[in-house]
Amino acid sequence: ILGKDFSPYYEKIMPGLKKLYYSLSPQTPEQKTLKSQCIETIAYLFSSVSEESSKYMGDLKEMAEALTKNLAGLPEEDPQVPSILNAFSQISLAMEKEFVHFLEYLFPYLSKYIQADIGLVVEDADVQEYIPEEEKDEKEKAKTGSIIVNVGTNSKKLSLQTFALQNKITSFIILNDICLNMGTSFFPFTEKFL
């Protein structure tokens, strides 16, 4: 809500956020969610200081490097993935032309998610075959979302990989934001982007 007016709190909050980010090795869904929220908060804090970013360039580069390494080892269904992608949007806003180095590493991930097959499948189904969401195990919930649609007297099951779709949409938005944030320094990536 405060946006740029939140910048005076940077020095008091960022050290604790960085400590939490580096010390937390998430194993449980709750820990993964906590780390993803930590990443989002760090990104918003960077956004608040974007007008005086040269003062915080060390932190920006350090966290961009850490997030790049973190992204490399995450499965697509991890809640940290969209948080990291969104964080790069905020970081690119603050770093502008200094972000080019990190885009070299980030672009293959964005490209992978943008080109991902969401696994959309339409098949005949009996409504009785439908497994209620609460009866699915965690792996089923993470991989595929499905819905039964009645078409006249027949039922069709529409299935897709929900995390692949989420990451695909997020990557489109983030790449567009980064392009706008970097301005002319994005030029070397224009052909790949198009």
Side-chain angles (χ1 to χ4, degrees):
I1 293 170
L2 288 173
K4 305 280 188 281
D5 293 333
F6 196 72
S7 61
Y9 301 99
Y10 182 97
E11 301 287 350
K12 294 177 182 172
I13 298 173
M14 186 58 85
L17 287 171
K18 284 171 59 178
K19 183 177 180 181
L20 177 61
Y21 175 81
Y22 287 119
S23 66
L24 189 59
S25 297
Q27 304 299 319
T28 67
E30 293 80 14
Q31 291 171 335
K32 290 177 183 179
T33 300
L34 176 61
K35 189 155 185 176
S36 70
Q37 290 173 341
C38 176
I39 293 166
E40 289 172 11
T41 308
I42 287 170
Y44 288 130
L45 206 48
F46 280 143
S47 180
S48 75
V49 297
S50 61
E51 289 179 357
E52 48 185 342
S53 60
S54 58
K55 185 177 171 183
Y56 304 101
M57 198 57 70
D59 279 352
L60 284 159
K61 288 180 178 179
E62 174 191 343
M63 288 309 302
E65 189 74 42
L67 292 172
T68 302
K69 288 178 182 173
N70 192 7
L71 184 61
L74 295 176
E76 68 179 15
E77 65 270 10
D78 194 299
Q80 293 175 81
V81 171
S83 297
I84 290 172
L85 295 176
N86 282 308
F88 279 121
S89 176
Q90 305 295 331
I91 291 170
S92 70
L93 175 66
M95 291 183 78
E96 295 175 350
K97 65 180 185 234
E98 298 290 326
F99 190 72
V100 170
H101 168 72
F102 297 102
L103 190 53
E104 293 281 356
Y105 295 104
L106 182 60
F107 202 92
Y109 292 103
L110 292 171
S111 181
K112 177 182 95 170
Y113 290 133
I114 286 171
Q115 295 176 36
D117 180 8
I118 61 170
L120 180 63
V121 177
V122 180
E123 53 194 344
D124 290 333
D126 188 354
V127 176
Q128 284 77 22
E129 293 175 16
Y130 177 69
I131 304 170
E133 196 68 25
E134 59 272 3
E135 293 178 21
K136 291 182 180 179
D137 65 25
E138 286 302 315
K139 217 168 195 178
E140 274 182 307
K141 285 181 187 178
K143 291 290 181 188
T144 306
S146 62
I147 186 169
I148 302 288
V149 180
N150 290 321
V151 183
T153 58
N154 298 326
S155 295
K156 299 285 184 188
K157 180 180 177 183
L158 305 176
S159 304
L160 58 88
Q161 294 179 346
T162 53
F163 284 103
L165 178 61
Q166 174 188 343
N167 291 341
K168 187 181 196 83
I169 293 168
T170 301
S171 295
F172 271 118
I173 294 167
I174 298 311
L175 189 55
N176 186 62
D177 287 350
I178 289 171
C179 172
L180 294 173
N181 292 340
M182 291 177 64
T184 55
S185 57
F186 186 82
F187 180 76
F189 300 92
T190 305
E191 191 174 333
K192 292 181 189 178
F193 177 60
L194 293 174

